[in-house]
Amino acid sequence: MKEHFERHKQPWNSEEIQKLHAFAKKGMTLKAISKALTRSEESIKKRAKADKLKIAKKR
């Protein structure tokens, strides 16, 4: 079953973008960031790519 996210198709705000950058720097995985920001993994992938961020792969 797919998880439902309340933030579906919502624009990113500056606080979320800052958190995404911080989480990516810490080396958090896509799944962990997704849970922390309550956004889909797809949304995070797109935003990370747009911001040229590297998201850690699962260990």
Side-chain angles (χ1 to χ4, degrees):
M1 192 178 118
K2 265 208 169 292
E3 285 184 66
H4 175 74
F5 291 92
E6 293 298 315
R7 312 250 329 123
H8 186 68
K9 301 245 189 244
Q10 294 291 312
W12 285 76
N13 64 41
S14 57
E15 190 181 321
E16 287 177 309
I17 295 166
Q18 282 180 320
K19 283 181 181 177
L20 173 62
H21 282 250
F23 293 155
K25 244 183 219 154
K26 276 186 195 169
M28 284 173 72
T29 62
L30 193 58
K31 194 172 211 114
I33 295 171
S34 171
K35 272 202 159 82
L37 294 178
T38 61
R39 281 189 174 266
S40 71
E41 292 182 18
E42 200 54 45
S43 172
I44 289 162
K45 266 192 246 178
K46 282 182 188 167
R47 184 71 215 196
K49 190 173 184 180
D51 289 3
K52 294 178 174 50
L53 294 174
K54 284 263 183 255
I55 302 294
K57 299 279 184 264
K58 284 183 195 150
R59 289 179 202 151

